[in-house]
């Protein structure tokens, strides 16, 4: 009687012709994430992925698997031969284990016969196994409508028996949906935005703007720390860091004060687009959210968009702040995000920023600036590192 871990794939399993591609990516990511935990043997078997590992590593393996996108459920299973006596014994063992941890009063058996040649029909397997559980555990009852637990029996070339279904994030494996450049500030929103897109299979790169020496080195350290938390889910993150103090000074000197925020946002987008094009990245990602601050109005977004051609993905656009905070706590970026370091945007924060900017006005103001020169100059001094999970 072997113990294995099964992984259910959700959306990946629905991907039709691309399914093989998605599964291979996922298997590779699972292999990478678990190789230091006894290098489990990993194989696909009819819609699921299985890991054969030493049991001492199970908890650690499961906690790593929970952070891999594309996985919907994780179950520690008992694997037995598929003759009915072995299945009965396996079911008793699985049940005993769960009863040691939880007080269970009701259950229901759910059998799935992937092997259609199996001589006993699924409902009959369920009935036999249900009966043997009742015989062995006199304090539990069957409840077909609202059981406390299901005892799952998957009959394939072997039989996999499990009770626990541990929920993971679902989504799609990283790298199956192109690459994005996340504009990463030190705030609460942008790490969550990156997480949301990574969960849809986008491989992340990050770009941070600072105004050193007006902003401190510790402020940048904080952003790198955020990226290293995100890397737990998103894999290694190429991290670009750019000083825009010069640009902010120019805007401050030559443009109306109330346009500072929107003008510097347009510069951020232009710089981001240029880097993205150079690195073959397909889209920009921001943590913008409608109505949250002055620049995040429909008019603001329109004016920001027209500074670039590349799509700007804004996965948080319709979220409430409370929802965003909940996710940031869940992905463990919240505590770092709320550390009180200055951001480049606060350096020249206008007293009354325009909330409904008009593109003509903004373009008129930009005539006072040598845009291409300023963008290129900023990129020339770009710093680069690769952020790994911490
Ligand atoms: P966040 O919590 O992500 O900082 P926010 O609610 O503070 O967002 P803004 O300050 O208007 O909103 O920023 C909107 C978006 O612009 C951010 O989510 C981020 O994607 C990008 N951004 C803002 N400041 C920076 C920065 N210093 N470096 C990189 N991107 C930035
Ligand atoms: Mg911010």
């Amino acid at each position: 009687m072997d113990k294995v871990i099964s992984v259910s794939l959700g959306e990946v399993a629905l991907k039709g012709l691309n399914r093989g591609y998605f599964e291979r990516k996922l298997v590779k990511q699972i292999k990478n994430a678990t190789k230091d935990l006894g290098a489990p043997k990993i194989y696909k078997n009819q819609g699921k992925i299985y890991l054969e590992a030493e049991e001492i590593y199970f908890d650690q393996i499961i906690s790593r698997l929970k952070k891999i996108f594309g996985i919907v459920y994780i179950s520690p299973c008992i694997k037995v031969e598929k003759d009915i006596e072995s299945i009965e014994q396996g079911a008793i063992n699985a049940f005993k284990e769960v009863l040691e941890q939880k007080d269970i009063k009701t259950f229901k058996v759910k059998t799935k016969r992937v092997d259609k040649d199996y001589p006993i029909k699924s409902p009959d397997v369920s009935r036999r196994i249900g009966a043997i559980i009742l015989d062995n555990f006199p304090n539990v009852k069957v409840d077909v409508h609202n059981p406390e637990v299901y005892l799952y029996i998957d009959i394939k070339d072997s039989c996999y028996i499990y009770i626990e279904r541990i929920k993971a994030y679902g989504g799609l494996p990283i790298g199956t949906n192109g690459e994005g450049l996340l504009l990463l500030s030190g705030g609460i929103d942008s790490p969550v935005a990156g997480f949301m897109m990574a969960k849809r299979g986008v491989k992340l790169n990050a770009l941070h703007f600072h105004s050193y020496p007006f902003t401190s080195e510790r402020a940048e350290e904080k952003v790198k720390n955020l990226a290293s938390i995100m890397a737990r889910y998103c894999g290694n993150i190429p991290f670009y860091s750019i000083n825009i103090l010069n640009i902010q000074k120019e805007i401050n000197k030559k443009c109306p004060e109330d346009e500072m925020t929107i003008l510097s946002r347009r510069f951020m987008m232009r710089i981001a687009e240029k880097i993205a094009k150079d690195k073959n990245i397909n889209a920009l990602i921001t943590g913008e959210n409608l109505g949250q601050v002055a620049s995040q109005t429909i008019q603001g977004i329109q004016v920001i968009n027209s500074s670039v051609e590349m799509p700007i993905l804004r996965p948080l656009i319709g979220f409430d702040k409370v929802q965003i905070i909940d996710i940031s706590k869940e992905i463990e970026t919240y505590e770092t995000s709320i550390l009180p370091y200055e951001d480049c945007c606060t350096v020249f924060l206008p007293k009354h920023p325009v909330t409904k900017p008009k593109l003509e006005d903004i373009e008129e103001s930009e005539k006072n600036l040598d845009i291409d020169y300023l963008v290129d100059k900023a990129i020339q001094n770009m710093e680069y590192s690769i952020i790994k999970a911490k």
Side-chain angles (χ1 to χ4, degrees):
M1 203 165 301
D2 289 335
K3 291 244 180 119
V4 302
I5 296 172
S6 79
V7 168
S8 313
L9 308 184
E11 269 181 78
V12 175
L14 303 174
K15 287 285 163 194
L17 285 178
N18 282 332
R19 181 169 158 169
Y21 168 70
F22 283 80
E23 284 181 349
R24 278 194 299 281
K25 280 249 180 206
L26 199 54
V27 167
K28 203 167 158 195
Q29 284 168 21
I30 292 173
K31 202 172 252 172
N32 266 335
T34 56
K35 63 183 172 209
D36 61 325
L37 301 173
K41 186 178 157 212
I42 300 167
Y43 57 92
K44 289 186 284 179
N45 187 347
Q46 293 169 296
K48 287 194 185 180
I49 294 172
Y50 294 90
L51 287 87
E52 276 176 15
E54 287 174 62
E55 217 181 321
I56 46 161
Y57 293 123
F58 268 32
D59 286 347
Q60 274 172 289
I61 290 177
I62 289 168
S63 91
R64 302 259 179 99
L65 292 174
K66 276 163 82 174
K67 295 191 169 78
I68 297 178
F69 300 128
I71 296 176
V72 179
Y73 288 110
I74 306 154
S75 299
C77 309
I78 288 179
K79 180 183 176 189
V80 292
E81 296 295 318
K82 58 185 171 182
D83 59 278
I84 191 72
E85 292 75 23
S86 301
I87 298 179
E88 285 176 347
Q89 194 52 53
I92 292 168
N93 287 9
F95 218 85
K96 202 189 282 168
E97 267 184 31
V98 171
L99 273 181
E100 276 163 15
Q101 290 161 24
K102 267 194 275 193
D103 182 29
I104 292 162
K105 296 270 183 292
T106 60
F107 75 102
K108 179 183 177 176
V109 182
K110 251 193 187 174
T111 304
K112 206 155 93 193
R113 214 166 35 122
V114 181
D115 171 9
K116 293 294 174 205
D117 295 332
Y118 193 68
I120 312 175
K121 294 229 159 64
S122 301
D124 296 333
V125 174
S126 294
R127 255 192 295 278
R128 270 190 79 153
I129 300 301
I132 207 97
I133 295 295
L134 291 173
D135 281 352
N136 280 271
F137 304 96
N139 293 331
V140 300
K141 291 194 180 64
V142 172
D143 181 342
V144 287
H145 300 297
N146 213 352
E148 277 171 57
V149 297
Y150 286 94
L151 176 62
Y152 296 93
I153 316 268
D154 288 359
I155 304 176
K156 299 184 170 177
D157 45 1
S158 297
C159 177
Y160 298 89
I161 304 166
Y162 56 97
I163 292 174
E164 247 188 308
R165 288 218 296 175
I166 301 159
K167 219 169 154 29
Y169 287 113
L172 296 166
I174 299 270
T176 56
N177 247 335
E179 291 202 28
L181 181 60
L182 171 67
L183 279 79
L184 183 60
S185 71
I188 294 170
D189 302 331
S190 37
V192 175
F195 173 83
M196 298 301 296
M197 292 322 301
K199 189 169 142 191
R200 297 310 304 164
V202 176
K203 160 112 175 62
L204 290 187
N205 302 259
L207 170 59
H208 176 64
F209 295 101
H210 61 87
S211 315
Y212 188 79
F214 282 47
T215 56
S216 64
E217 275 174 29
R218 285 172 69 190
E220 184 169 344
E221 233 10 77
K222 166 185 165 179
V223 180
K224 286 188 169 168
N225 284 336
L226 283 172
S228 72
I229 298 171
M230 298 174 68
R232 294 173 193 163
Y233 307 86
C234 310
N236 291 349
I237 302 179
F239 184 96
Y240 303 95
S241 160
I242 286 198
N243 191 333
I244 54 163
L245 182 57
N246 215 11
I247 295 177
Q248 289 175 311
K249 280 181 176 165
E250 279 288 296
I251 298 173
N252 193 44
K253 203 159 45 179
K254 296 178 178 161
C255 304
E257 192 215 349
D258 62 351
E259 292 174 0
M260 181 72 202
T261 309
I262 196 91
L263 285 168
S264 48
R265 244 344 152 258
R266 276 163 67 88
F267 270 96
M268 285 186 184
M269 292 304 163
R270 290 185 183 107
I271 292 170
E273 181 182 55
K274 196 147 193 196
I275 296 169
K277 278 187 175 161
D278 188 51
K279 313 279 173 206
N280 279 322
I281 294 170
N282 318 84
L284 309 179
I285 303 166
T286 75
E288 286 163 303
N289 170 255
L290 205 55
Q292 205 183 85
V293 292
S295 64
Q296 299 180 11
T297 59
I298 286 276
Q299 293 84 354
I301 283 173
Q302 190 184 11
V303 172
I304 289 169
N305 276 7
S306 56
S307 61
V308 289
E309 291 164 5
M310 194 171 266
I312 302 172
L313 308 178
R314 299 179 170 93
L316 308 187
I317 198 72
F319 281 30
D320 292 339
K321 193 73 193 182
V322 183
Q323 284 177 299
I324 299 173
I325 289 175
D326 281 349
I327 300 174
S328 77
K329 286 183 178 164
E330 164 73 33
I331 65 173
E332 299 170 323
T333 50
Y334 182 75
E335 293 300 327
T336 306
S337 286
I338 60 173
L339 294 174
Y341 294 121
E342 66 293 338
D343 182 60
C344 72
C345 305
T346 52
V347 173
F348 295 97
L349 197 64
K351 280 191 206 73
H352 303 287
V354 275
T355 52
K356 294 181 182 171
K358 288 208 184 67
L359 188 56
E360 310 88 82
D361 299 344
I362 296 297
E363 283 175 344
E364 196 53 40
S365 305
E366 284 177 347
K367 284 185 184 151
N368 301 317
L369 305 167
D370 188 344
I371 293 174
D372 290 341
Y373 170 80
L374 289 170
V375 167
D376 288 343
K377 187 100 192 293
I379 292 178
Q380 268 168 27
N381 294 317
M382 176 166 81
E383 283 174 33
Y384 167 74
S385 55
I386 288 191
I387 307 285
K388 297 195 170 134
K390 200 155 64 184

